[in-house]
Amino acid sequence: MDNKKNRAVVRVPGTSANCGPGFDCLGVATTIYNYLDLTLLRGSKIIVESKGEGAENIPRGRKNLAWQAVRRLLQEVKREDEFKGAIIRTKNNVPISRGLGSSSTAIVGGLVAANEILGSPLNRQELLKLATEIEGHPDNVAPALFGGFTVSVMDKGEVQTFSFLPRIKLKLIVAVPDFELSTRLARKVLPKHISMKDAIFNISRASMLIAALVEGRADLLPLAFDDALHQPYRKKLVPGMSEVFEAAKNAGALGAAISGAGSCLIAFTTLKSGLEDKIASAMVEEFKIHGVNSKALILDLDRRGAQIMKR
Ligand code: HSE
């Protein structure tokens, strides 16, 4: 059998969800990428080889998340009896369990690669539905799939996403601490109910954030990245969080937030400001004061989402 025609290589961007006030609905694709090389096999062997970030901890065999996504797609298009196994090779640059969407890259990578091999039976909206079902919320998988800045709405299990390119050229500065944070734990610390006051705090900022990005109004952004729904509760999980936000803003950032469920913190500035290095150093230094070693990534917004690199 010719394995080559059952092979596809996909590049998927790391993502930052929430962007401050948009808990579980806003996300942005960034220019840090994971690569997934998939070959579908007719036999039931699963071979997983990983290189790069967290490679030693990536499950091999059937528990592998990319395989689970591939398997889900095969079931959806009723081809699971034809392809029972796979060779999955990944090269990972996105830090694991840090709030940069590494699990979404595996899910989206598996779905997009398998879909390509099978002749694209599903469109991107259908892939988004499967990816959201596997991940549990859309705010990482949507930008991983579509690129750009994304707004996602869930309604009775269906997801609708609007993806756009802001009219402001953003620079994203991510401070990556040397500790992992599980999304499960970071969701466990959240309250079941919130006050009307906090809801209004977030609705107003999330709305302002999108309006300012769509219209190119950087002057409105300093109001727009704050949050009252999740960050105050997650603060205890990331030592120095508020102080790192302040340090980033003092160095000229327009705003700062937890990236996804953490542990990374992300700050936003414009390309025009030229302040990204200064902001990066300020964040790393402030983390250090709070006993946290970190490294900074200076990223741009990814415009394209998941891309087929080889077929
Ligand atoms: N919106 C999610 C959260 C992102 O903050 O828990 C984590 O994947």
Side-chain angles (χ1 to χ4, degrees):
M1 190 195 56
D2 179 11
N3 264 348
K4 272 196 194 138
K5 76 177 193 318
N6 294 327
R7 177 177 173 219
V9 181
V10 178
R11 182 186 85 168
V12 189
T15 52
S16 183
N18 302 329
C19 305
F23 182 71
D24 273 3
C25 58
L26 301 185
V28 62
T30 75
T31 50
I32 185 167
Y33 298 99
N34 282 351
Y35 294 81
L36 184 138
D37 178 342
L38 172 72
T39 303
L40 291 180
L41 301 175
R42 299 197 188 270
S44 56
K45 224 179 339 176
I46 312 281
I47 300 168
V48 178
E49 292 168 8
S50 304
K51 280 191 198 150
E53 286 285 342
E56 59 288 351
N57 297 325
I58 290 172
R60 324 220 156 251
R62 293 188 180 271
K63 283 218 169 108
N64 181 270
L65 193 52
W67 165 251
Q68 289 181 4
V70 170
R71 176 92 186 134
R72 181 68 189 85
L73 185 127
L74 288 167
Q75 286 165 345
E76 186 72 14
V77 301
K78 305 199 174 7
R79 307 274 299 264
E80 76 266 36
D81 292 338
E82 200 179 327
F83 296 106
K84 298 199 184 73
I87 304 170
I88 295 171
R89 295 194 175 94
T90 61
K91 187 169 163 291
N92 298 328
N93 298 306
V94 179
I96 304 251
S97 295
R98 301 293 207 293
L100 282 175
S102 63
S103 60
S104 291
T105 68
I107 295 167
V108 168
L111 291 176
V112 170
N115 195 50
E116 175 72 18
I117 294 167
L118 300 176
S120 302
L122 301 186
N123 61 33
R124 288 223 161 186
Q125 176 59 34
E126 290 164 329
L127 293 177
L128 174 67
K129 185 172 187 280
L130 290 189
T132 304
E133 183 191 301
I134 299 168
E135 175 89 328
H137 36 85
D139 47 343
N140 284 113
V141 291
L145 199 51
F146 295 117
F149 209 100
T150 56
V151 184
S152 299
V153 173
M154 294 295 297
D155 186 50
K156 301 181 192 84
E158 294 289 322
V159 54
Q160 190 167 48
T161 289
F162 165 58
S163 159
F164 69 98
L165 297 175
R167 276 179 64 192
I168 301 166
K169 285 214 165 75
L170 290 173
K171 276 278 173 194
L172 314 170
I173 303 105
V174 183
V176 186
D178 66 355
F179 66 91
E180 297 184 1
L181 190 51
S182 91
T183 300
R184 202 147 59 96
L185 172 65
R187 291 179 86 83
K188 235 166 111 176
V189 299
L190 302 180
K192 292 258 177 306
H193 302 281
I194 52 145
S195 69
M196 180 64 91
K197 186 166 151 258
D198 287 346
I200 294 166
F201 185 99
N202 271 55
I203 295 167
S204 56
R205 281 160 182 79
S207 309
M208 184 67 89
L209 177 57
I210 300 308
L213 292 174
V214 167
E215 280 292 310
R217 292 282 306 273
D219 60 307
L220 295 174
L221 288 176
L223 287 177
F225 288 105
D226 292 341
D227 160 78
L229 298 190
H230 64 110
Q231 294 182 171
Y233 307 97
R234 288 174 163 174
K235 196 172 146 166
K236 59 184 175 213
L237 304 175
V238 185
M241 181 194 91
S242 307
E243 292 83 355
V244 175
F245 290 170
E246 271 322 296
K249 288 185 211 166
N250 289 339
L254 291 163
I258 302 185
S259 183
S263 56
C264 284
L265 303 181
I266 184 167
F268 300 83
T269 188
T270 59
L271 175 66
K272 215 164 68 182
S273 79
L275 291 170
E276 57 272 17
D277 290 326
K278 190 175 165 204
I279 296 166
S281 309
M283 293 172 84
V284 169
E285 274 165 34
E286 191 64 36
F287 250 147
K288 185 112 200 142
I289 293 169
H290 294 271
V292 177
N293 286 321
S294 65
K295 65 171 182 189
L297 300 171
I298 297 178
L299 305 172
D300 295 303
L301 177 134
D302 166 86
R303 304 165 72 90
R304 305 178 65 192
Q307 293 291 312
I308 308 289
M309 305 303 280
K310 202 187 277 179
R311 183 70 182 95

